[in-house]
């Protein structure tokens, strides 16, 4: 995970010039800290089905925040399968 975080820091801060704070950790643990509802964007690897990722990551987002997930070929099916969970979490698919 440290390598991925280092790459994100380089991409955000150096390559894109974006002001960002990269926090690496498990979403379910971070959501129980002062970081809850404090992020404009959360990026997650494809470590679980979309509905599970949304349930774990959504608590970290501010209202109107963006959850970006890396998914593979089954992304469309996962979005379909997760539509109820996404709706209950107040998530809206934009891309």
């Amino acid at each position: 995970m440290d390598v991925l975080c280092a790459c994100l820091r380089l991409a955000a801060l150096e390559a894109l010039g974006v002001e960002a704070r990269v926090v690496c950790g498990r979403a379910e643990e971070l959501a129980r800290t002062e970081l809850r509802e404090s992020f404009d964007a959360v990026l997650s690897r494809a470590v679980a089905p979309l509905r599970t990722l949304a349930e774990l990551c959504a608590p970290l987002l501010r209202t109107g925040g963006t959850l970006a997930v890396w998914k593979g070929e089954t992304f469309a099916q996962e979005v379909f399968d997760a539509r109820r969970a996404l709706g209950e979490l107040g998530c809206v698919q934009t891309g």
Side-chain angles (χ1 to χ4, degrees):
M1 185 165 9
D2 292 335
V3 172
L4 176 60
C5 291
C7 289
L8 289 172
R9 284 185 185 99
L10 284 173
L13 302 175
E14 293 182 20
L16 299 175
V18 175
E19 183 179 330
R21 177 175 64 153
V22 178
V23 178
C24 294
R26 298 180 64 87
E28 62 270 29
E29 294 171 0
L30 295 173
R32 288 187 231 125
T33 71
E34 70 282 352
L35 297 175
R36 187 178 187 88
E37 298 180 358
S38 68
F39 294 98
D40 295 317
V42 172
L43 174 64
S44 176
R45 294 181 298 140
V47 295
L50 179 58
R51 65 177 162 244
T52 303
L53 288 177
E55 289 177 22
L56 294 172
C57 296
L60 294 168
L61 292 168
R62 291 183 177 139
T63 300
T66 299
L67 171 61
V69 296
W70 287 332
K71 287 298 195 173
E73 296 175 3
T74 62
F75 177 72
Q77 184 64 47
E78 286 195 51
V79 170
F80 181 80
D81 293 344
R83 67 190 184 286
R84 181 175 175 197
L86 293 170
E88 289 176 2
L89 293 165
C91 297
V92 177
Q93 181 185 353
T94 59

